[in-house]
Amino acid sequence: MSEDPEIEALFENNRRWVAEVIREDPEFFVRTASQQAPKYLWIGCSDSRVTPNQITGLPPGQLFVHRNVANVINRTDSNCMSVIEFAVRVLEVRHVIVCGHYGCAGVHAAMTDHLTEGPLAGWLDGIRNLWDHNKANLLKGGMQMAEARMVELNVRKQMLSLCQTTAVEQAWQQRKYLHVHGWIYGLNDGLLRSLYADIGSISERIRAESESTNP
Ligand code: CO
């Protein structure tokens, strides 16, 4: 047991939360301990201000979550790929939400980059490439606009990357209901917004890819 009050506070919060949950729903932990059946997989940024269950109002058991710096979905990342495979094949989630957020420090780092070594520099390679391709055009509106737009484009890029994973492709081949959503969260107002049309089949994916290459 820790004597650090910063840590002890968390256990106190936890006990208070358990008491509240049981007061509202005495069977909650009995019920949820036996199984999880989330309809949603959330892939978002690790940013401490973007807390998926809280901002969607979902209790434990309803949201399967993967978070990393700048909500990157990369086929060489076995962590993220395993989460997607488990969520789609085993849990059979019906929706995958890729959620970026304005003011993302990961996207900002990829654009302004002073990082030349270390794992984070490599992690942000894909976003750096996206910036290199769109920089000239986006900077016409100034740096602040460019950053907001880059956050949005990154959601698009990761959405399309998700649609190309084996798990998602096979679900569509098997005619399973699986919709991919691209959202953005506003740190300023706490609101979620849908940025792009949902993708729910291979033909919709192909259409989305052609729109993205020919804007
Ligand atoms: Co972020």
Side-chain angles (χ1 to χ4, degrees):
M1 199 156 158
S2 174
E3 289 183 6
D4 186 333
E6 289 176 354
I7 294 302
E8 194 43 45
L10 305 187
F11 286 97
E12 281 173 30
N13 290 348
N14 173 249
R15 287 188 292 267
R16 200 176 313 126
W17 172 73
V18 169
E20 275 168 30
V21 170
I22 291 174
R23 197 179 331 118
E24 293 266 312
D25 180 357
E27 298 299 309
F28 181 84
F29 293 107
V30 179
R31 204 173 54 245
T32 55
S34 62
Q35 65 161 55
Q36 63 166 338
K39 293 190 186 77
Y40 316 94
L41 165 62
W42 173 282
I43 300 178
C45 185
S46 296
D47 193 295
S48 65
R49 299 163 293 183
V50 190
T51 51
N53 284 81
Q54 217 166 5
I55 66 183
T56 57
L58 289 175
Q62 298 194 16
L63 193 62
F64 202 66
V65 172
H66 180 75
R67 293 168 72 182
N68 60 42
V69 173
N71 39 273
V72 170
I73 300 169
N74 187 327
R75 269 184 291 181
T76 62
D77 174 9
S78 65
N79 181 353
C80 184
M81 291 304 107
S82 302
V83 170
I84 293 167
E85 183 182 9
F86 188 74
V88 171
R89 289 202 187 146
V90 180
L91 298 173
E92 297 187 304
V93 297
R94 293 165 60 80
H95 304 274
V96 185
I97 297 153
V98 179
C99 188
H101 68 101
Y102 294 117
C104 183
V107 172
H108 177 83
M111 292 169 67
T112 51
D113 199 82
H114 304 299
L115 297 167
T116 50
E117 55 184 90
L120 187 55
W123 180 252
L124 296 172
D125 268 350
I127 304 178
R128 201 176 294 109
N129 288 341
L130 187 68
W131 174 233
D132 287 341
H133 280 108
N134 292 282
K135 199 179 197 166
N137 193 28
L138 293 184
L139 278 176
K140 289 173 192 163
M143 191 59 178
Q144 212 180 339
M145 285 269 286
E147 281 200 21
R149 187 75 185 118
M150 267 298 290
V151 162
E152 297 171 355
L153 288 177
N154 183 45
V155 169
R156 188 56 163 176
K157 176 186 169 72
Q158 308 309 339
M159 248 182 120
L160 294 177
S161 170
L162 172 71
C163 291
Q164 287 168 358
T165 59
T166 310
V168 170
E169 199 158 68
Q170 282 183 354
W172 285 336
Q173 279 163 356
Q174 293 162 8
R175 309 239 173 261
K176 285 188 182 167
Y177 186 96
L178 180 66
H179 279 224
V180 171
H181 307 264
W183 294 0
I184 195 87
Y185 177 75
L187 295 176
N188 295 333
D189 58 11
L191 291 173
L192 286 167
R193 292 176 181 85
S194 177
L195 283 175
Y196 303 105
D198 304 345
I199 305 173
S201 65
I202 291 173
S203 60
E204 284 177 10
R205 182 194 88 189
I206 292 166
R207 198 178 320 138
E209 283 170 345
S210 70
E211 282 165 9
S212 289
T213 49
N214 309 299

